[in-house]
């Protein structure tokens, strides 16, 4: 029975590897048949008659020059061919190859994030719940608890969904949950800090160790640890695959201009970041991809900050879905998360250039230099810490306002009866 399970897992893993390998290798088979983006320039358009005339003149000159100096003419013809081929190579992108490799990397990355989250929740889920229920006596303890719990679970959405469930079950009060929600915004920045270290070279080692623990361990706990290790390896390996797939865009002028537009228009950049986060259902995943592309010079600091601000808003989608069918206190917790992130993102968009300058100054102060990936990760950390510091001072007032905005069902019924009388 055990051997059949092991064989089934090995076969599944082997099948997944073959599919991903096919996505990566297939473009090299079709290669030149999938060029779809050409750099079109009016100056390069030459009529057929002009080409024939030019070719005739070059043929006569070539015959004369070959008789006089054959070695020099051969060298000039080679230089002409190479100079003519360069614009064609620079003006074309193999879109099929880029998309398939980027999708393969995104699949590996998201699969790794999911497996890692499942393993962490299985290992530390109950402990995180105990931590949240025990150490939320005041708002400051709640912020610290939310930060630690999100760091352990590596997902602010998972932390907030757990909090909403606990509030709905009566294990946590609405007021206690607010500090945890604020702390989860700080805890989610830890992942971006780790990604900024660029440790993807060690991803295969983590994948191999994780697979061995899953296949060979008899205890469930070690299997879950192996799942977490495998997820970490897939996460970084997927990021590296995306990084390599997107490398041709580094010198592609339309992409560079688009990134400049996102940097100059923070609202547009935030919209793109929010939409992508809703699609992948993880702000940590979005910011990790942003940091990875920034390390290759594909994303500038202003554009990265704008996309990061959008990711902070997009992550609210999961928590709003989690409030469906819940009691009023749980709904208030989800609404608070949405409003807090929306207000902070709006302020961040207004002061995006100042936030980028502050992140750049702090990064240089701590020896990161001109590392844009580190600057974006630090910008996210600064943004969330400042937002929490401002909101925590007004938390009691915010709680009272939300209780009036979304009253309990019993209180609402009493108000209706009073009006009828």
């Amino acid at each position: 029975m055990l051997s059949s399970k092991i064989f089934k897992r090995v076969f599944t893993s082997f099948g997944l590897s073959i599919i991903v390998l096919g996505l990566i290798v297939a473009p090299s088979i079709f290669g030149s048949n999938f060029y779809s983006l050409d750099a079109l320039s009016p100056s390069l358009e030459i009529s057929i008659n002009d080409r024939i005339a030019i070719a005739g003149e070059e043929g006569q000159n070539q015959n004369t020059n070959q008789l006089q100096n054959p070695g020099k003419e051969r060298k000039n013809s080679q230089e002409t061919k190479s100079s003519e081929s360069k614009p064609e190579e620079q003006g074309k992108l193999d879109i099929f190859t880029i998309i398939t490799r980027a999708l393969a990397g995104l699949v590996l990355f998201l699969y790794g994030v999911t497996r890692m989250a499942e393993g962490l929740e299985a290992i530390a889920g109950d402990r995180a719940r105990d931590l949240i229920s025990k150490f939320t006596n005041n708002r400051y303890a709640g912020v610290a608890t939310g930060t630690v719990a999100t760091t352990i679970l590596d997902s602010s959405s998972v932390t907030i969904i757990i909090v909403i469930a606990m509030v709905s079950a009566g294990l946590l009060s609405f007021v206690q949950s607010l500090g945890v929600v604020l702390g989860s915004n700080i805890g989610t920045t830890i992942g971006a800090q780790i990604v900024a270290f660029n440790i993807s070279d060690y991803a295969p080692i983590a994948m191999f160790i994780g697979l061995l623990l899953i296949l060979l361990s008899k205890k469930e706990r070690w299997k879950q640890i192996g799942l977490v290790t495998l997820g970490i390896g897939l996460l970084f390996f997927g990021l590296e695959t995306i990084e390599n797939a997107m490398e041709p865009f580094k010198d592609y002028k339309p992409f560079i201009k688009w990134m400049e537009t996102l940097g100059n228009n923070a609202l547009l950049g935030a919209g793109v970041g929010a939409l992508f986060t809703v699609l992948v259902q993880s702000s940590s995943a979005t910011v990790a991809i942003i940091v990875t592309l920034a390390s290759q010079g594909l994303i500038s600091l202003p554009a990265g900050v704008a996309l990061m601000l959008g990711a902070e808003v997009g992550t609210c989608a999961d928590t709003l879905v989690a409030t469906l069918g819940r009691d009023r206190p749980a709904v208030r917790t989800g609404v608070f998360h949405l409003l807090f992130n929306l207000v902070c993102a709006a302020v961040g968009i207004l002061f995006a250039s100042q936030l980028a300058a502050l992140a750049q100054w702090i990064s240089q102060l701590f020896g990161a230099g001109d590392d844009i990936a580190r600057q974006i990760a630090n910008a996210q950390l600064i943004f969330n810490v400042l937002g929490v510091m401002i909101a925590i001072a007004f938390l009691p007032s915010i709680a009272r306002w939300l209780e009036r905005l979304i009253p309990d069902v019993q209180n609402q019924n009493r108000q209706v009866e009073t009006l009828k009388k």
Side-chain angles (χ1 to χ4, degrees):
M1 186 69 179
L2 182 62
S3 61
S4 63
K5 286 184 179 180
I6 294 175
F7 177 76
K8 185 178 179 180
R9 290 175 181 174
V10 172
F11 182 79
T12 304
S13 303
F14 181 75
L16 181 63
S17 303
I18 291 296
I19 292 172
V20 174
L21 186 64
L23 287 172
I24 297 174
V25 174
S28 63
I29 299 174
F30 303 101
S32 59
N33 296 327
F34 289 92
Y35 289 107
S36 61
L37 283 181
D38 295 342
L40 299 178
S41 177
S43 63
L44 295 178
E45 294 180 357
I46 304 175
S47 65
I48 297 175
N49 294 331
D50 291 339
R51 286 181 178 272
I52 295 173
I54 292 171
E57 293 177 0
E58 288 182 350
Q60 293 176 359
N61 294 333
Q62 185 176 3
N63 292 333
T64 306
N65 291 334
Q66 281 181 351
L67 293 173
Q68 296 176 355
N69 196 347
K72 184 178 180 180
E73 181 60 30
R74 194 180 299 113
K75 183 178 179 181
N76 291 336
S77 64
Q78 290 176 355
E79 291 177 353
T80 304
K81 288 180 181 179
S82 62
S83 63
E84 289 177 354
S85 62
K86 282 182 181 179
E88 294 180 358
E89 292 175 358
Q90 292 177 356
K92 294 181 180 179
L93 289 178
D94 193 346
I95 294 301
F96 182 82
T97 302
I98 293 172
I99 291 176
T100 52
R101 291 184 180 181
L103 284 176
L106 185 62
V107 168
L108 288 171
F109 173 73
L110 294 178
Y111 185 77
V113 170
T114 306
R115 296 286 79 80
M116 183 178 66
E118 288 180 359
L120 287 171
E121 191 170 359
I123 295 169
D126 294 333
R127 293 182 181 180
R129 290 184 181 91
D130 294 338
L131 179 70
I132 292 171
S133 61
K134 288 180 181 178
F135 300 100
T136 53
N137 297 327
N138 58 67
R139 47 186 161 171
Y140 303 102
V143 171
T145 302
T147 302
V148 174
T150 305
T151 302
I152 294 172
L153 297 173
D154 193 42
S155 174
S156 60
S157 297
V158 172
T159 301
I160 297 172
I161 289 170
I162 290 174
V163 168
I164 290 172
M166 292 177 69
V167 172
S168 182
L171 299 175
L172 200 67
S173 69
F174 160 66
V175 176
Q176 288 175 317
S177 70
L178 299 185
V180 182
V181 171
L182 292 178
S184 67
N185 279 34
I186 298 176
T188 194
T189 63
I190 305 300
Q193 293 291 331
I194 295 173
V195 171
F197 281 113
N198 195 15
I199 55 176
S200 57
D201 292 341
Y202 303 99
I205 300 174
M207 292 164 60
F208 180 71
I209 294 173
L211 185 63
L212 288 180
L213 288 173
I214 293 172
L215 297 178
L216 303 179
S217 299
K218 295 181 179 179
K219 293 184 177 180
E220 187 64 25
R221 181 175 178 80
W222 282 105
K223 288 181 180 293
Q224 297 298 337
I225 293 174
L227 188 63
V228 173
T229 309
L230 176 63
I232 292 173
L234 287 171
L235 186 155
F236 282 100
F237 188 75
L239 286 175
E240 186 179 18
T241 305
I242 295 172
E243 178 183 327
N244 294 333
M246 298 293 289
E247 191 172 359
F249 284 112
K250 191 173 183 179
D251 299 321
Y252 190 61
K253 290 183 179 179
F255 181 81
I256 295 172
K257 289 181 179 178
W258 187 57
M259 284 294 109
E260 290 177 355
T261 303
L262 294 182
N264 296 330
N265 190 342
L267 183 61
L268 177 62
V272 173
L275 179 62
F276 186 80
T277 303
V278 171
L279 292 176
V280 301
Q281 297 184 347
S282 174
S283 61
S284 300
T286 302
V287 176
I289 293 173
I290 293 169
V291 169
T292 301
L293 296 180
S295 66
Q296 282 290 325
L298 293 171
I299 293 180
S300 63
L301 178 58
V305 169
L307 292 168
M308 177 271 295
L309 293 173
E312 298 290 336
V313 177
T315 191
C316 299
D318 289 340
T319 56
L320 288 177
V321 172
T323 61
L324 296 177
R326 301 284 186 180
D327 296 335
R328 291 297 180 91
V331 173
R332 285 197 293 264
T333 302
V335 171
F336 168 74
H337 181 231
L338 173 64
L339 293 177
F340 172 74
N341 282 18
L342 274 176
V343 172
C344 288
V347 175
I349 290 171
L350 290 175
F351 298 97
S353 58
Q354 288 82 357
L355 177 61
L358 180 61
Q360 188 175 24
W361 177 74
I362 290 178
S363 300
Q364 293 175 351
L365 187 66
F366 286 93
D370 296 329
D371 187 356
I372 297 177
R374 175 62 59 190
Q375 291 171 7
I376 293 174
N378 290 338
Q380 186 194 23
L381 178 61
I382 295 166
F383 169 76
N384 283 292
V385 169
L386 288 177
V388 169
M389 288 175 64
I390 295 171
I392 199 172
F394 302 97
L395 211 54
S397 301
I398 294 172
R400 288 193 295 269
W401 177 74
L402 284 172
E403 285 173 348
R404 287 197 298 269
L405 180 67
I406 310 174
D408 293 332
V409 177
Q410 295 178 352
N411 296 336
Q412 194 173 19
N413 291 335
R414 288 175 185 173
Q415 292 175 2
V416 171
E417 291 176 359
T418 304
L419 290 173
K420 286 181 179 179
K421 290 178 181 179

